[in-house]
Amino acid sequence: MIRVILAILILILGVALAIGGIWLISLGGSWGYVILSIPMIISAILLLRRQRSALVAYAIVIIISLIWALWEVGFDWWAMAPREGLIVLLGIIMLLPPVVHSLESKRAGPGQYSIESKSLMGVMVVGVVIAVISFVSKPHEIDGNLAADRMASGPAPADDVEPGEWAAYGRTSAGQRYSPLDQINTDNVGKLEKVWEYHAGDDIHPDLPGSALESTPLIVNDTMYVCTPKSEVIALDPVTGDERWRFDPKLLDLPSGLASYTTCRGVSYDDGSNISVSAASAPLASADEADALLEASRASATQKAAGVAQNILVDRAKPNDPNPLVPGNTTSVNASIRQDCRQRVFITTRDARLIALSAETGVICPGFGGDDGTVNLWQGMPNISPGAYYSTSPGLIADDVIVVGGAINDNVSTTLPSGVVRAFDLATGELVWNFDAANPTATAPIADGETYTENAPNSWSVSSYDADLGLVYVPFGVGSPDQYGVGRSEAEEEYSTSITALDVATGEPRWTFQTVHHDLWDYDVPAQPSLIDLTIEGKKVPALVQPTKQGEVFVLNRATGDPVLPVEEVAVPQSGGIEGEPLSPTQPVSKISFAPKEVTGAQMWGMTPVDQMLCRIDLAKLNYEGRFTPPSENGTLTHPGSFGVLNWGAVAVDPARQMLFSMPVYLGFTAQLVERPDSLEKVVSRPGDDVPIGNENFGAPYGSIVKPFMSRVGLPCQQPPWGYVQGVDLTNGETVYRRVNGTVRDMAPVPLPFKTGVPGIGGPIVTAGGVAFLSGTVDYYVRGYDLANGNEIWRARLPAGGQSTPATYLGRDGRQYLVVVAGGHRYTGTKTGDSVIAYALPEGATATQ
């Protein structure tokens, strides 16, 4: 019975490979599957006929598969797995005594094997040797160490943030994600232990696939600030994790079909140093009087104050309100508590408000944007529509303004709000300047009754600031539609998918550097630029490090925008797109490039040879001539996909050691343009869908279907590794090391900790202690790495996906803490959660232990 079942399985596999192989050949692909199928079918037939020559035929199957695999992928364990795993397993079953002894003809004596059995055994032994060699090989890694003198360089020069604090999204407005703390180092990081865990309790909306807790906490003045997907702000004790206050903005109800993405990646903190005390506390005469009045107010009206602090309400629009998206005034706050607003926290809400809160109490600060302490971000916007405009990233505090960008619902229509970037006065909330990338010369505050340019390129990520140069550095995306660019204006062509330096006082552009010309691949510049002074050829250079989705990391002079490390314009594919699309003949490639290798059929992957073959067939059917192949009606492989090699998590740069630490990931997507009528008929979304509307591009000639390039069993068609950590010397652009990063423990049906290298979203941080920390992988771990060589030297299990960027700080108890938000993310398939977790060395431990 075993023999018959085995023969049928081998026959089915052989026939499937033969049919699929012929299909692949017809598409210009490999002959390997057809060649492999012939001895496989013969072996199955011989096995059914009870002939021992079936063993020899199957030995030939294994020989062919091994030779083919070595020729295509070499000693690469995970690339070999779909080629050999099932085939070898069937060979092992074939050698079981019930199968061997069921074969007709002369049998070997007791305890002996026939020559046919020995031939198959011998081939299997060779296969095992090749498998062992492949398992210990590391063909995708680069071994290396940063020079010892560079690692011993010590902390970087002091910046404008206290060493023990994390005062902005990237710790400072320079966006380095570097901490000068060194209590936790490579010698003792393995002793880190969980100190406390806080549950934010903000339920993730079941109908919003982009809803996630992915905040990077700020830690300032012995208080931690975290925001939630519902734009709530929570203040915690950073040593104990106890909640101090919580602010709920009472978001307006938004239709789920449009508001598919709801998250908050962080808040902004202002220490009050750039505005006058009188502006912060008027009409009070002095800080002492203000404090006295505040205490008196608290003593006489404790309940009222608590109500104001915890229950700020928004007047919902009345039915006849012509603009239901403009929030009404919040409850007025007595002027006597305005002194609490000397230090403030700013939150950009999911319903497009910018709110100033007292950092001490969480009370809305009156006077910012009016008595309600709120700036309405819909002011001046065209095409007002619920949920179509929002800001997932924190605003940038730059001198006496806060600079705010925003995201729009890409690819819904051609009549969306503007991606304008605006600066508001920190004291009053008044508009100081606006930069509309489709109207770049009109930076003076927009006049009442006028609107910004619809669909203008937007900046949904975080900006950076150089106070000495007076420049704000803004990463821009592209206006909708992403995959169709006919008719874009001259200004849009210049500023789309760029990093642009704006004058902090006026908003006027000083320089712009475009990272993709005529972007058709959703390669928005997704990450905050990192500002760092580099020593190159003995000279100090004010540099800007800009990660991108397509895998290029551009290092520019932040004063001029000129490349510091070489940038070359290379020719890119020009065929296969739609008629009339003005493709750029070249695209910029940096000295630091994490760009993936060109995809080939040999790189296709699966659980078995069959689904691997189907991926090869799918690849052969797609348009693909390399990176920047244009989207097409036939369907195009875009690799990297819109998920990006690097995304909003950015990179971390060490200003003392002048190196970069990153988490590049590799997932291909497919993009297919679908001709659409000039109507509201859906052409790419499922009929009746409420969430989301997909890439319908109402008003454009084409909708687009964009999705990951996956196999029939739900795995990436590309072979692993899918994710790495990588260290780069910023003084010359050379890669120091690259390590496969992450396991499939939380991706696979069975939780096996195979180290394949996995995707992730979120960012790393680095410390003066020589340790980098990262939690963004799709397996549920926070990890510590030796910054010198990239080796993993510590990890801790998380209760959910850690799709966020950690932070580190010095507690009042003298201990250095690491804090991680484990909120997961539906778009990455990770478990969602609400945990904020802090780690530290055991009490009494020192940096030398």
Side-chain angles (χ1 to χ4, degrees), residues 87-271:
I87 291 175
V88 170
L89 176 62
L90 294 174
I92 292 172
I93 296 173
M94 188 174 285
L95 285 173
L96 294 176
V99 176
V100 173
H101 294 165
S102 69
L103 300 177
E104 290 183 351
S105 72
K106 295 181 180 180
R107 296 182 178 180
Q112 297 180 344
Y113 288 94
S114 66
I115 189 170
E116 292 90 351
S117 299
K118 289 178 180 178
S119 67
L120 180 54
M121 286 181 182
V123 171
M124 295 280 282
V125 169
V126 173
V128 169
V129 171
I130 291 174
V132 170
I133 295 173
S134 300
F135 189 76
V136 300
S137 298
K138 298 180 179 179
H140 302 285
E141 295 201 349
I142 297 173
D143 284 320
N145 284 271
L146 190 68
D149 60 333
R150 294 272 291 278
M151 283 304 301
S153 58
D159 49 42
D160 58 354
V161 171
E162 289 293 323
E165 296 186 338
W166 197 279
Y169 182 75
R171 185 177 168 271
T172 72
S173 58
Q176 295 173 344
R177 277 158 285 279
Y178 166 84
S179 170
L181 297 179
D182 60 4
Q183 185 182 108
I184 299 171
N185 57 42
T186 55
D187 293 330
N188 61 25
V189 66
K191 298 180 180 180
L192 281 178
E193 59 185 19
K194 184 168 74 172
V195 178
W196 56 258
E197 181 174 355
Y198 171 84
H199 293 280
D202 183 11
D203 295 334
I204 307 299
H205 198 295
D207 294 331
L208 302 180
S211 181
L213 178 68
E214 53 188 25
S215 173
T216 294
L218 303 190
I219 304 93
V220 190
N221 288 340
D222 193 35
T223 305
M224 178 182 295
Y225 303 98
V226 180
C227 61
T228 74
K230 293 180 181 176
S231 305
E232 296 181 351
V233 182
I234 304 169
L236 303 174
D237 184 318
V239 173
T240 66
D242 295 333
E243 183 178 310
R244 289 180 173 166
W245 56 257
R246 187 181 190 114
F247 169 77
D248 182 357
K250 304 294 184 184
L251 296 180
L252 298 174
D253 293 331
L254 300 175
S256 59
L258 286 172
S260 63
Y261 202 97
T262 173
T263 190
C264 177
R265 298 196 182 105
V267 297
S268 310
Y269 177 84
D270 173 41
D271 63 7

Side-chain angles (χ1 to χ4, degrees), residues 17-18 20-22 24-25 29-40 61 64-65 68-69 71-72 87 609 612-613 616:
L17 294 179
I22 293 171
L24 182 60
I25 291 170
S30 172
W31 285 66
Y33 294 104
V34 170
I35 295 173
L36 185 64
S37 71
I38 294 172
M40 190 172 288
V61 170
I64 292 173
S65 67
W68 187 26
W71 177 63
E72 281 199 326
I87 291 175
Q612 181 201 37
M613 176 184 65
R616 293 182 85 141

Side-chain angles (χ1 to χ4, degrees), residues 291-380:
D291 289 340
L293 286 171
L294 175 60
E295 292 302 320
S297 175
R298 287 176 174 168
S300 63
T302 302
Q303 187 63 43
K304 180 180 178 182
V308 170
Q310 302 296 334
N311 298 299
I312 304 299
L313 300 177
V314 175
D315 293 332
R316 299 305 176 96
K318 298 177 176 59
N320 60 353
D321 192 325
N323 185 356
L325 293 176
V326 179
N329 289 339
T330 55
T331 303
S332 181
V333 182
N334 189 294
S336 64
I337 67 170
R338 293 190 186 185
Q339 188 62 30
D340 280 359
C341 292
R342 283 177 295 179
Q343 289 83 40
R344 292 170 300 167
V345 171
F346 293 87
I347 176 73
T348 50
T349 67
R350 183 61 181 81
D351 56 4
R353 287 176 283 161
L354 172 63
I355 303 176
L357 305 173
S358 164
E360 182 180 346
T361 66
V363 174
I364 284 183
C365 293
F368 180 79
D371 289 340
D372 60 2
T374 300
V375 170
N376 172 26
L377 296 177
W378 280 107
Q379 293 175 1

